[in-house]
Amino acid sequence: MVKVVSVVGARPQFVKLAPVHKSLTANGFEHQIVHTGQHYDAKLSDVFFKEFGIPEPDINLGIGSHSHAVQTARIMIGLEESLINLDPDWVLAYGDTNSTLACAIACSKLPLRLAHIEAGLRSNNKEMPEEHNRILTDHCSDLLLAPTHAAMEFLRSENLGSKSHLVGDVMIDILDLVKSSIEKQGDNLPLSINPSEEYILATIHRQENTDHQDRLQEIISSLQNLGIPTFIPSHPRLVKKCEEFGINLAKGNLIPVEPLSYRELITTALSSAHIVTDSGGLQKEAFHLGTPCTTVRTETEWPETLSGGWNELAEPSKIGESILRQAPNTNRGAPFGNGDAAGNISQLLKEI
Ligand code: UD1
């Protein structure tokens, strides 16, 4: 039996893991999970394992929060021993977090064969820690699993085309499943949101936005003045930085709430008038669900979402203007695949 180990550590990776775990086990692979412990709060970690029915990780390294170098180094040290013991045929790394990079370096040194899910994304913004994580991981990997044509183009331009495959986006696999289940079961909106009232869903967590006091203050002030209730499920990094800078989230129309489960987030996103975010995943989810989105960043790794004005990049002071733009109505197509990315990955691993 072919043995595959998935290395995950942060919230979006648990979402990506769900369809991959299901597909690998259905296709006869032995699949084991190593959790690095980068995210450890129940609302950022356990909740996703429970809601997707993913088994408890075989190993949890329990690394926790540290500076970038310390976190990455500790994960590498823990992973080396775990991967030697598990002795897989393939290791899967997901996305662009410090856990992803640590996994890539550990595998390249052992060496173990590494496949990178969500390969080829580029923002060309070297200020982002994630941009370095992506590039370095792609160059350490043996198999590159790209979600989009644009990602394939970046990989070809970096001479990585021969090990790259367009498989689609595993986040669409899980989104389609959860969306149809929500529609079938008629889930109520969480957070006591009044379904007859218009509201906005906002999330802000990126280092570039949270770690500079003036920028964070400007973003939060804009969100507090959008004129309709704006719910902000708050990532611990946002809460910590607001406390540090003396920024009160709960002012004006802004309503801070605890982080949501995936199903709650998608239910809220489906009915919201607009989404304001700096999350890569939520930009894409907004596009796929047909909810207009404003992204508080200067660039995006998901340029497909900008087509027809479904997503717009905005500086903090322009958020209010951006949400008032004309409602997009173009056909969005399926730039992230047809919800069969995890199946394509299993098929590729079988063939290889
Ligand atoms: C990480 C990823 C980012 C991803 C995000 C998803 C990196 C470099 N960044 O950012 O790409 O979009 O996850 O959420 O890997 N904290 C807690 N509890 C937790 C985890 C974190 O309180 O369970 C707090 C700590 O104060 C920590 C801070 O959040 O210092 C940041 O956590 P960290 O994992 O370093 O980065 P994220 O901002 O979550």
Side-chain angles (χ1 to χ4, degrees), residues 8 20-21 27 47 58 64 81 85 140 157 161 177 186 210 227 232 286 302 312:
V8 290
V20 174
H21 173 73
N27 280 283
V47 67
D58 296 270
E81 191 185 336
N85 291 336
C140 286
S157 72
L177 273 180
T210 56
I232 183 159
W302 304 104
E312 190 171 272

Side-chain angles (χ1 to χ4, degrees), residues 10 45 95 129 233 274:
S45 176
H274 203 101

Side-chain angles (χ1 to χ4, degrees), residues 269-292:
L270 261 169
S271 301
S272 67
H274 203 101
I275 290 174
V276 181
T277 191
D278 60 3
S279 149
L282 193 52
Q283 282 172 59
K284 225 175 2 177
E285 283 149 359
F287 179 86
H288 197 68
L289 298 174
T291 304

